[in-house]
C-alpha cells in the first residue's frame, strides 16, 4: 500500500481536502493506490486461475484412472 501524501502538518489541510478534485497530491496518491489495487487483483486472479485449472486437470486425471 502507498503512503498518504500529506499528514497533519500539511499547510493546505482542511476538512474535505482529501479529494482528487481539490488536492493535486491526493490525486497522484489515488492514482498510485488504484494501480496498486489493480496489480494485487491481477495477482490474486492469476493465483485463483492456476488453482482452478489445476483442480480441473486433477479431476480429469482421476476420471481416466
Amino acid at each position: 500500500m502507498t503512503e498518504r501524501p500529506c499528514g497533519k502538518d500539511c499547510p493546505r489541510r482542511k476538512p474535505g481536502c482529501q479529494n482528487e478534485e481539490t488536492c493535486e497530491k491526493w490525486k497522484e496518491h489515488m492514482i498510485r493506490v488504484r494501480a496498486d489495487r489493480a496489480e494485487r487483483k491481477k495477482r490474486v486472479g492469476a493465483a485463483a486461475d492456476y488453482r482452478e485449472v489445476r483442480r480441473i486437470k486433477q479431476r480429469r486425471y482421476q476420471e481416466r484412472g
Side-chain angles (χ1 to χ4, degrees):
M1 193 68 185
T2 60
E3 273 191 45
R4 293 183 182 244
C6 54
K8 293 183 179 182
D9 59 341
C10 181
R12 296 185 298 169
R13 188 176 170 106
K14 62 182 183 222
C17 72
Q18 295 176 340
N19 187 341
E20 294 179 52
E21 291 125 17
T22 59
C23 182
E24 189 64 33
K25 284 183 178 180
W26 194 258
K27 184 177 184 177
E28 293 170 7
H29 168 70
M30 289 309 295
I31 289 170
R32 289 191 305 267
V33 167
R34 285 189 196 101
D36 186 43
R37 286 179 186 162
E39 179 62 32
R40 202 169 342 141
K41 185 176 180 181
K42 185 175 159 184
R43 286 193 315 257
V44 168
D49 287 345
Y50 170 77
R51 286 192 299 267
E52 182 65 23
V53 168
R54 184 166 171 86
R55 189 173 60 85
I56 290 169
K57 285 184 176 184
Q58 284 177 342
R59 191 181 311 143
R60 283 187 196 156
Y61 179 74
Q62 289 173 352
E63 289 173 358
R64 279 192 268 159

